[in-house]
Amino acid sequence: MTVESTAARKPRRSSTGGGKRASARKPAPQKSTEPELIQLLTPEGKRVEDAKNAVYDAYVADITAEELRGLYRDMVLTRRFDAEATALQRQGELGLWASLLGQEAAQIGSGRATRDDDYVFPTYREHGVAWCRGVDPTNLLGMFRGVNNGGWDPNSNNFHLYTIVIGSQTLHATGYAMGVAKDGADSAVIAYFGDGASSQGDVAESFTFSAVYNAPVVFFCQNNQWAISEPTEKQTRVPLYQRAQGFGFPGVRVDGNDVLACLAVTKWALERARNGEGPALIEAFTYRMGAHTTSDDPTKYRNDDERVAWEAKDPILRLRAYLESEGHADEGFFAELDDESEALGKRVREVVRAMPDPDLMAIFENIYADGHALVDEERAQFAAYQASFADAPAAGEVK
Amino acid sequence: MAVQKLPIAKAINESLRTALENDPKVLIMGEDVGKLGGVFRVTDGLQKDFGEERVIDTPLAESGIVGTAIGLALRGYRPVVEIQFDGFVFPAYDQIVTQLAKMHARALGKIKMPVVIRIPYGGGIGAVEHHSESPETLFAHVAGLKVVSPSNSADAYWMMQQAIQSDDPVIFFEPKRRYWDKGEVDKEAIPGPLHKATVAREGTDLTLAAYGPMVKVCLEAAAAAEEEGKSLEVVDLRSMSPVDFDSVQASVEKTRRLVVVHEAPVFLGTGAEIAARITERCFYHLEAPVLRVGGYHAPYPPARLEEEYLPGLDRVLDAVDRSLAY
Ligand SMILES: Cc1ncc(C[n+]2csc(CCOP(=O)(O)OP(=O)(O)O)c2C)c(N)n1
């Protein structure tokens, strides 16, 4: 549709010239053909069962009440962790924080779809996915506090380091997946990125490579509607999930605020990958309820109405409504979870406040695996310089 | 009123505004430069006043930003693009190095590349990875590019005007941790040439050469040294490609000692080039080897260590003492 209309409007050289041409050439607004959105749970918490969902429904058909409570617990605790980190930034304990508020369902649904032997490549906001992978959430805070540039061993939970340069990790995920395929293993890889990232060359190249080599990688794009101040329309003229088609693999748009749908669609995509059917793109249609990061001021570029509209689609409320209407959870469960949330918040607070500043010599650590003469020389100079201060501890002395 | 007191960020903003007013071919492009006015608000209000056709919010794609700026320049525009942070210029590095820098030469001088690439750079703001780097050497090493960095508001205003008027590509490094430092800007002054160094403080015992964020540190060091009876001259290089070696030489012939200071790693940095050239030019004048103070051969460290990594007053004065001890 859009592709054709663009081709038809291919600009020809006009003899009229003039400075107004640029605006006359603006693409016509897209037809509001709402793309298909896979949704299994409505914002009111009602289960959706229709034909177009059937293939995905199958992946959650036998989900138990306990598993549903588990998803709810994951989302609540992740939100609590995120709120605590935001508060800690305000208190000056963290230099920066990128909140996931509003994106819990996309992250928990997709994260819980992964298997232990799968490998996850996050961007910098995937705190909920990290949670699902068993990464201690306090590990995520080191880089935001400024005590390290990573903070965990990626191999201990098959959860790669956060990547700040937009889009880079999609290629790493693709390469990793190519390796999985070469090894004949049946695990899969999932790469997270945002709608803004979809504009990067690296992301397009990862689509190309994964398709050409049939790599077992799932691209999970959280379209939270904004890339800092720029709306998705500043990145694309077609719905993002449709990009996949041009590269030769399927794309699906899922309701990113519906944890059940995110779980089902991601399971579907990971299973395809495991079965040797190659990559898939999932666009989780969601919303960043907070600021881009704690340094950002969203009032500069968006209005409150939008947020209010999305609040009605809150991922946590809708699952709660479902749990309650089905009698899957009682008051005791929610009360216990409240206590657990508070305990998590407290632990995070304590751990962060107690996080020591790194040792000065850390500047020179882990630069090369095999060592390097220049680093050795500079390390020695630095140590001598530090020792030259009268009040500084001498080398070897404990502070 | 010709003379105003402006922070560096605002001086650049006003310079861009002047350029947009004076030349309909000037365009501003980049991520978040429009409605938000950039993450540092350097382009604040420009889209409101000049419209989306001239102040363009681009897709999140640095190679795309620079690559299309090249095309716009080929078509007669003068794009001024913003790379949001130093560490994010690398997706565009290919376009800058393989295309932008070489276009004029490859076209036998028949086409011009009036593209300005603005990059907020350097550390000291407590940021996360990729937000504090000083990659200027990587650009200065490439023939076809000009590389500059102002250290104060007046230079920020005027050097931006000159960079935009230049028919060559200019990589314009903005010292982000000085964005909020205020200084006087005389909009009716006649500025010196873009690539000429200036003497920011006169002295007789030793020359400190620096640019961008380190000029302030050197001025503070000179003030501190004065209390100990030492007279330091501070040369603000302003341009890393070309470097105004004549001005540095003139200063060193007077003071006979030189310490070069920058945030970027010392190894193969701008200081290395200056040390080599000045040694060559001033061998018989020098009382001490040219010393360098700068970053280490290490990735930019996490924020809690950056004060140790960045050259500060102590490290500069330490080098001054070492030089004077010869
Ligand atoms: C290559 C690169 N350019 C610019 C930035 C600065 N930046 C950080 S986040 C961001 C927006 C990202 O938007 P999106 O991909 O939609 O992800 P979201 O933050 O919304 O999850 C930008 C421009 C960056 N980190 N990397």
Side-chain angles (χ1 to χ4, degrees):
Chain A
M1 31 154 247
T2 323
V3 180
E4 283 156 32
S5 58
T6 311
R9 281 189 310 94
K10 195 170 178 181
R12 276 163 296 158
R13 275 189 189 283
S14 121
S15 53
T16 51
K20 288 277 166 271
R21 285 227 320 257
S23 38
R25 279 192 193 178
K26 267 215 164 127
Q30 257 201 285
K31 272 184 281 165
S32 63
T33 45
E34 256 305 299
E36 286 195 0
L37 185 74
I38 302 302
Q39 185 183 70
L40 302 183
L41 212 52
T42 67
E44 296 73 38
K46 299 257 172 345
R47 208 48 182 85
V48 185
E49 278 165 36
D50 65 23
K52 85 171 192 266
N53 287 345
V55 55
Y56 308 109
D57 242 328
Y59 287 87
V60 290
D62 52 6
I63 194 164
T64 64
E66 192 187 345
E67 285 169 319
L68 286 167
R69 284 195 300 275
L71 294 172
Y72 183 79
R73 175 178 172 273
D74 289 337
M75 290 198 289
V76 168
L77 293 181
T78 300
R79 181 172 288 188
R80 182 65 183 85
F81 163 71
D82 186 74
E84 191 60 44
T86 303
L88 284 165
Q89 195 282 332
R90 297 286 178 240
Q91 294 158 21
E93 298 287 347
L94 300 178
L96 183 82
W97 183 244
S99 165
L100 66 19
L101 185 63
Q103 300 178 219
E104 294 87 352
Q107 296 197 13
I108 300 300
S110 61
R112 284 293 172 212
T114 62
R115 237 167 45 184
D116 283 353
D117 60 326
D118 293 339
Y119 214 106
V120 176
F121 287 83
T123 153
Y124 44 77
R125 206 192 288 284
E126 272 67 71
H127 322 313
V129 185
W131 171 266
C132 295
R133 298 299 299 178
V135 176
D136 182 332
T138 60
N139 286 350
L140 306 175
L141 299 170
M143 80 179 256
F144 292 100
R145 187 173 169 86
V147 301
N148 61 49
N149 280 333
W152 60 89
D153 171 4
N155 289 327
S156 45
N157 300 81
N158 281 10
F159 185 78
H160 189 67
L161 299 168
Y162 276 179
T163 300
I164 288 184
V165 180
I166 300 292
S168 292
Q169 76 283 3
T170 58
L171 280 166
H172 311 155
T174 300
Y176 192 96
M178 288 161 63
V180 167
K182 280 186 195 301
D183 294 344
D186 81 333
S187 41
V189 178
I190 183 164
Y192 288 84
F193 58 100
D195 48 309
S198 71
S199 295
Q200 288 286 356
D202 276 4
V203 173
E205 293 182 25
S206 70
F207 288 179
T208 299
F209 274 71
S210 63
V212 166
Y213 297 107
N214 204 43
V217 55
V218 174
F219 296 105
F220 195 92
C221 175
Q222 288 172 82
N223 177 356
N224 64 9
Q225 313 300 325
W226 294 91
I228 309 189
S229 73
E230 300 192 1
T232 311
E233 301 85 79
K234 278 281 180 284
Q235 316 292 340
T236 181
R237 300 294 303 173
V238 299
L240 286 173
Y241 76 99
Q242 291 179 3
R243 289 255 177 106
Q245 200 189 356
F247 289 88
F249 52 87
V252 182
R253 179 180 276 185
V254 62
D255 182 339
N257 287 18
D258 171 356
V259 71
L260 209 54
C262 290
L263 177 70
V265 170
T266 312
K267 280 191 166 207
W268 163 82
L270 288 168
E271 185 178 283
R272 280 185 78 256
R274 289 200 179 93
N275 291 342
E277 293 170 68
L281 168 63
I282 299 170
E283 177 191 0
F285 204 71
T286 181
Y287 191 68
R288 186 193 85 208
M289 302 234 257
H292 170 70
T293 65
T294 44
S295 304
D296 175 44
D297 173 12
T299 61
K300 279 246 168 196
Y301 54 84
R302 70 183 190 189
N303 59 33
D304 270 353
D305 307 353
E306 191 183 279
R307 187 192 151 108
V308 170
W310 277 92
E311 268 168 7
K313 304 182 201 174
D314 189 294
I316 295 185
L317 296 181
R318 84 170 68 176
L319 185 56
R320 181 170 181 138
Y322 181 62
L323 289 174
E324 286 176 338
S325 68
E326 295 293 307
H328 284 332
D330 56 17
E331 273 314 308
F333 168 75
F334 294 113
E336 221 170 276
L337 187 53
D338 282 346
D339 292 346
E340 201 184 345
S341 290
E342 279 322 298
L344 175 66
K346 183 162 176 285
R347 180 167 81 84
V348 167
R349 211 156 48 238
E350 286 168 0
V351 173
V352 166
R353 291 201 172 128
M355 245 180 221
D357 278 358
D359 184 85
L360 292 188
M361 299 314 287
I363 291 173
F364 300 97
E365 271 167 28
N366 299 315
I367 302 174
Y368 294 95
D370 292 336
H372 188 288
L374 176 58
V375 174
D376 295 344
E377 184 188 320
E378 291 188 351
R379 183 196 290 116
Q381 284 167 357
F382 182 79
Y385 176 66
Q386 294 301 332
S388 72
F389 291 100
D391 56 342
E397 200 179 304
V398 184
K399 246 195 258 193
Chain B
M1 196 184 57
V3 182
Q4 283 173 281
K5 228 172 152 87
L6 297 174
I8 287 182
K10 184 71 179 152
I12 298 171
N13 176 281
E14 300 218 347
S15 191
L16 295 173
R17 175 176 291 277
T18 305
L20 285 163
E21 274 163 5
N22 291 349
D23 182 352
K25 294 295 187 189
V26 171
L27 304 174
I28 310 292
M29 299 167 62
E31 295 156 12
D32 304 293
V33 299
K35 231 178 190 166
L36 185 65
V39 292
F40 290 105
R41 307 290 183 270
V42 172
T43 54
D44 201 22
L46 298 179
Q47 188 181 67
K48 194 168 132 270
D49 295 341
F50 295 92
E52 290 181 32
E53 292 293 336
R54 305 223 26 225
V55 181
I56 304 166
D57 269 329
T58 65
L60 208 179
E62 287 76 10
S63 181
I65 293 170
V66 174
T68 55
I70 291 171
L72 283 157
L74 289 171
R75 181 70 197 178
Y77 286 89
R78 305 185 88 84
V80 183
V81 312
E82 175 177 298
I83 299 292
Q84 204 157 69
F85 280 92
D86 35 66
F88 307 142
V89 70
F90 297 105
Y93 196 64
D94 167 36
Q95 285 289 342
I96 295 172
V97 173
T98 65
Q99 306 301 324
L100 182 64
K102 297 179 168 69
M103 209 68 93
H104 181 68
R106 292 176 56 231
L108 312 175
K110 297 296 179 206
I111 55 174
K112 297 182 172 133
M113 274 292 124
V115 175
V116 177
I117 300 179
R118 298 181 36 238
I119 309 178
Y121 81 120
I125 62 161
V128 292
E129 258 198 314
H130 311 297
H131 291 73
S132 305
E133 291 167 20
S134 299
E136 59 272 16
T137 309
L138 298 176
F139 296 90
H141 196 68
V142 178
L145 303 176
K146 291 181 173 171
V147 183
V148 302
S149 178
S151 71
N152 58 61
S153 300
D155 276 354
Y157 181 86
W158 282 113
M159 288 169 71
M160 180 59 76
Q161 290 292 300
Q162 294 166 320
I164 294 171
Q165 281 154 21
S166 168
D167 283 333
D168 287 314
V170 179
I171 317 293
F172 197 94
F173 281 102
E174 299 174 3
K176 69 168 90 79
R177 69 157 134 163
R178 307 282 180 232
Y179 267 151
W180 303 277
D181 287 4
K182 281 191 175 175
E184 285 189 353
V185 179
D186 179 354
K187 292 188 182 169
E188 279 154 27
I190 296 168
L194 178 57
H195 301 288
K196 187 152 172 40
T198 57
V199 175
R201 178 187 171 115
E202 304 230 17
T204 52
D205 297 339
L206 180 146
T207 300
L208 289 173
Y211 52 85
M214 279 296 127
V215 172
K216 185 173 177 183
V217 172
C218 289
L219 287 170
E220 287 167 0
E226 187 175 34
E227 290 174 15
E228 299 169 10
K230 298 168 201 159
S231 165
L232 309 189
E233 178 146 306
V234 178
V235 173
D236 182 350
L237 293 171
R238 300 167 81 247
S239 174
M240 286 80 82
S241 178
V243 172
D244 175 9
F245 292 109
D246 291 345
S247 293
V248 184
Q249 177 176 353
S251 177
V252 171
E253 282 177 0
K254 182 169 75 167
T255 66
R256 299 175 165 256
R257 288 183 163 83
L258 176 62
V259 175
V260 191
V261 185
H262 48 60
E263 291 188 16
V266 162
F267 183 66
L268 294 176
T270 301
E273 182 61 35
I274 292 174
R277 296 281 181 144
I278 292 303
T279 303
E280 209 174 305
R281 289 180 178 217
C282 307
F283 189 68
Y284 293 108
H285 289 278
L286 285 168
E287 300 280 354
V290 180
L291 299 181
R292 290 166 290 157
V293 180
Y296 303 106
H297 194 64
Y300 194 87
R304 299 267 170 151
L305 289 180
E306 71 179 339
E307 289 309 325
E308 309 299 331
Y309 175 92
L310 291 167
L313 212 55
D314 285 338
R315 277 177 63 201
V316 174
L317 290 172
D318 182 66
V320 167
D321 289 346
R322 277 189 287 133
S323 176
L324 289 169
Y326 275 91

